[in-house]
């Protein structure tokens, strides 16, 4: 938690910068599935892609930070999910330059009144603190800082009792980006 807070402070003070490289987003997502497999089994929630992707998408972003974003979002879906639930990641081409990564769950969902403050540090929906899966409320704040540092979009949609969808955009590798950065 001290590490999480430290990272947030670094982003807010502008010390923390992002370090972009070219990488395969499908591969990174697979790695995160592997790393979280045990936790998913423990929580009785299946994690995976929404469908088979025959095409791999190259992106230009900070791989370590995007791994952290994926991890924080998927761990949340496991923590606030339902027994025998399902978490799916989908990839959508927005246009030539952008790809949308979406993490959907069929968990408890989040009431609309909480959505405006959801990404604030320490904000938790259940403040009683007696929930078994209690956290510190920093995960989504970190997600927001990382996506903003990439100058990308972060969206949330949720329906209580039905589930939540968190999505963010990433820069796809176009010929132009490659030729100016390589
Ligand atoms: N997928 C989800 N489904 C339902 N509620 C969620 C989901 N993701 C986040 N939340 C709600 O948003 C709150 C904030 O999430 P956040 O990840 O910032 O904190 P946390 O999970 O409580 O703690 P931390 O991530 O620091 O361990 C959570 O406490 C939870 O109430
Ligand atoms: Mg969390």
């Amino acid at each position: 938690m001290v590490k999480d807070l430290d990272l947030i402070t670094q982003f807010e003070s502008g010390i923390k910068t992002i370090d972009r490289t070219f990488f395969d987003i499908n591969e990174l997502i697979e790695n995160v599935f592997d790393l979280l497999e045990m936790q998913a089994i423990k929580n009785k929630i299946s994690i995976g892609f929404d469908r088979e992707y025959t095409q791999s998408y190259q992106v230009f972003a900070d791989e370590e930070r995007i791994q952290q974003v994926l991890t924080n979002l998927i761990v949340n879906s496991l923590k606030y999910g339902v027994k025998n639930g399902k978490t799916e990641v989908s990839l959508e081409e927005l246009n030539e330059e952008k790809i949308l990564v979406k993490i959907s769950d069929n968990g408890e969902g989040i009431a609309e009144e909480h959505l405006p403050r959801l990404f604030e540090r320490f904000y938790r929906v259940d403040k009683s603190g007696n929930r078994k899966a209690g956290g510190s409320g920093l995960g989504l704040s970190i997600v927001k800082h990382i996506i903003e540092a990439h100058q990308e979009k972060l969206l949330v949609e949720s329906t209580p009792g039905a589930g939540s969808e968190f999505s963010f955009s990433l820069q796809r590798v176009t010929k132009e980006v490659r030729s100016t950065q390589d």
Side-chain angles (χ1 to χ4, degrees):
M1 159 153 178
V2 174
K3 240 179 82 195
D4 286 350
L5 202 51
D6 200 40
L7 187 66
I8 291 174
T9 313
Q10 285 183 0
F11 270 117
E12 285 176 353
S13 64
I15 297 170
K16 190 85 219 158
T17 52
I18 53 162
D19 187 9
R20 293 182 197 248
T21 57
F22 299 105
F23 63 93
D24 184 326
I25 187 70
N26 305 53
E27 222 170 84
L28 182 69
I29 293 166
E30 286 285 1
N31 286 342
V32 174
F33 289 157
D34 288 346
L35 289 167
L36 296 177
E37 193 188 346
M38 287 301 166
Q39 200 170 332
I41 291 170
K42 214 179 97 200
N43 287 275
K44 297 198 163 55
I45 291 175
S46 70
I47 54 176
F49 280 113
D50 63 322
R51 63 178 175 89
E52 198 183 316
Y53 287 87
T54 45
Q55 190 188 345
S56 263
Y57 294 102
Q58 289 287 117
V59 296
F60 186 53
D62 188 322
E63 186 167 15
E64 194 188 326
R65 297 288 164 225
I66 296 302
Q67 172 164 343
Q68 190 168 12
V69 165
L70 290 163
T71 304
N72 287 5
L73 292 177
I74 296 173
V75 167
N76 277 349
S77 79
L78 300 178
K79 276 166 54 170
Y80 310 111
V82 288
K83 201 172 158 191
N84 299 319
K86 192 178 201 172
T87 296
E88 282 181 345
V89 177
S90 67
L91 296 172
E92 191 188 321
E93 292 176 32
L94 288 179
N95 54 46
E96 300 255 294
E97 291 189 0
K98 301 284 178 190
I99 185 152
L100 193 72
V101 182
K102 194 186 285 178
I103 292 93
S104 322
D105 67 53
N106 61 353
E108 65 191 45
I110 304 157
E112 203 176 340
E113 68 205 77
H114 297 290
L115 296 181
R117 300 195 56 197
L118 201 66
F119 297 96
E120 288 176 19
R121 61 167 99 175
F122 301 121
Y123 191 81
R124 306 197 67 233
V125 172
D126 182 356
K127 299 210 169 26
S128 64
N130 60 10
R131 166 190 250 160
K132 60 177 183 342
S136 48
L138 295 176
L140 287 179
S141 174
I142 291 172
V143 166
K144 185 166 190 253
H145 276 103
I146 293 173
I147 299 304
E148 280 182 354
H150 281 79
Q151 290 166 301
E152 295 291 349
K153 296 259 179 286
L154 173 64
L155 305 162
V156 57
E157 274 176 49
S158 191
T159 310
S164 312
E165 247 183 41
F166 289 83
S167 51
F168 59 93
S169 57
L170 285 177
Q171 173 77 52
R172 289 175 68 186
V173 180
T174 59
K175 277 197 187 105
E176 219 171 309
V177 175
R178 266 214 184 282
S179 60
T180 54
Q181 301 287 336
D182 269 347

